[in-house]
Amino acid sequence: MKRFARCMLVSLLMALGLTASPAGAADDEALVSSLRQLNEGSFEDKAAAVRTIAESGHPRAVPVLQALLDSRLYFRIGGGEIVIADSLDSGFAVTDPLSGERVGEASQYEIRRVSINNAVRSEARKMLALAGLSSPDRQARSEAVERLLESPDPAIAERMEGLVAEEPVDAIRRDMSLVIGLARLDAPEAAIRLEALETLDGSLRNRVRNEVRRLAQNDPDPTVQARAAEILTGIQERRDLWGLGEQIFFGLSAGSVLMLAAFGLAITFGVMGVINMAHGELIMLGAYTTYVVQLLMPNAIDYSLFVAIPAAFLVTGAFGVAIERGVIRFLYGRPLETLLATFGISLILQQLVRTVFSPLNRQVSTPDWMSGAIEVNAALSLTLNRLYVIAFAFLVFGLLLLLFKRTTLGLKVRAVSQNRAMARAVGVSSSRIDALTFGLGAGVAGLAGVALSQITNVGPNMGQAYIIDSFLVVVFGGAGSLWGTLVGGLSLGVLNKFLEPETGAVLAKVLVLVFVILFIQRRPQGLFPQRGRAASEG
């Protein structure tokens, strides 16, 4: 495959006019001369040598330039002979740059790396990128255009003109046109600069915006300057619009985390009336469960989340049942004591984690299938980990709806939450339902911890950052209402993200709190009030 790729690159250089004929003895001598110039000349001479190598017609020109970029081009200290060297455990494996064959090994005292500066490196990148434009592989062509966009060159742009019409992919063809337009912005003729500006009109790339701004501020021709200012305004407006979309995406992402964190609280608070101050620590336990699962599956990180999700639910659910059976059931009807008891439990859980795992934050690896981003355009990228968190939050929401609407347990939970005395009268064990409900709420908190582990570090205090926000979501949406938690979490998440750039993170949270307080003054039962006797008693 590597040999095929090298041959393909050489053929591409030939198609672009960078090569002329198969290498012969004269070509070898010319390449050797240029290689010596890479070692002996000034940096300007080295840049010229790079161009000479690319145009030499030698089939080894591309591998040599790639070796130069990879810092693998060396010279022998004794005679100055240029070689390609790859690191070994002790020394280097030496390859002849003319034949590509390995010719032995050398120690670090026998060879030295060919020194180049950024200008030489940029010239080598341009030559290789130009070759990549005619590659049959779409990804190779796209990467080549991206490299050329970093440093557009008039000479390169002139050679690209014949390739634009032949490019079958619209996105790559547009980017090739951008390279040509950027390269012509410094043309001495105002008409050419105007034509280049029209090519750049509508692009959202930072490089394009910066270059257009330069012309809008400094171009000597008033017509060009005015047109550049007009295009710059249009670019900025479109970027602002896509920036709004980015804020909404990050708001939905933050809201999804709030929604997950608040689901369990809505269940326990809505059904049992318990203010669980240890809810944040249950989220933390779910995140640490994910960390432990990855420690047990070091060679299967891509599959670890599929084990961590049920594991976190079971572990935190078991903690929840234990808390309810051991503490909460003795404190029903005494909200202040319940609040203080669960606050004490939160401190115990924090110290337990510090004792077992240490106070330091732990990094949970993100699976490969959750890494990366979907690039909508140059102004908006949607990170995959946040997209999966949003999807996971809605999946949990759907499963909880099915549980409460379509199962016997859900029917009993709703009966107890709406009229506990009547539920007992028809044979429902309210104490058992209380334990299962608290365990369910704790388990859902553990699922929130799994999601959080993919977007932030795992630490003993991570749950504290979400407990207050979770209560705000529950109060705003309506205690015990899953739909209220959904709408409240997403609304407050988006609102917070819009406020943060203007006011700062701390003041944004204060403003959200003030908003919720004012809202519940007008609507004390929240967006989706609970129905039943429990609601009327509240």
Side-chain angles (χ1 to χ4, degrees), residues 231-244:
I231 292 175
L232 179 62
T233 301
I235 291 175
Q236 193 59 51
E237 289 176 351
R238 282 186 286 271
R239 287 186 64 89
D240 290 342
L241 182 61
W242 285 108
L244 180 65

Side-chain angles (χ1 to χ4, degrees), residues 31 70 141 159 331 372-373 375 383 537:
L31 182 59
D70 296 340
R141 298 197 306 275
R159 295 179 180 180
L331 301 173
E375 186 173 337
T383 53
E537 290 176 351

Side-chain angles (χ1 to χ4, degrees), residues 52 109 434:
T52 302
Y109 305 106
D434 286 340

Side-chain angles (χ1 to χ4, degrees), residues 10 30 57 97 114 137 149-150 225 254 270 295 388 466 473 511 523:
V10 172
V114 172
D137 180 58
L149 279 169
E150 295 175 3
Q225 195 172 26
L295 290 182
Y388 278 111
Y466 291 91
V473 170
L511 292 176
R523 194 178 176 89

Side-chain angles (χ1 to χ4, degrees), residues 182-196:
L182 287 170
R184 290 179 171 175
L185 287 181
D186 292 321
E189 299 86 357
I192 296 179
R193 298 200 299 276
L194 279 173
E195 183 181 352

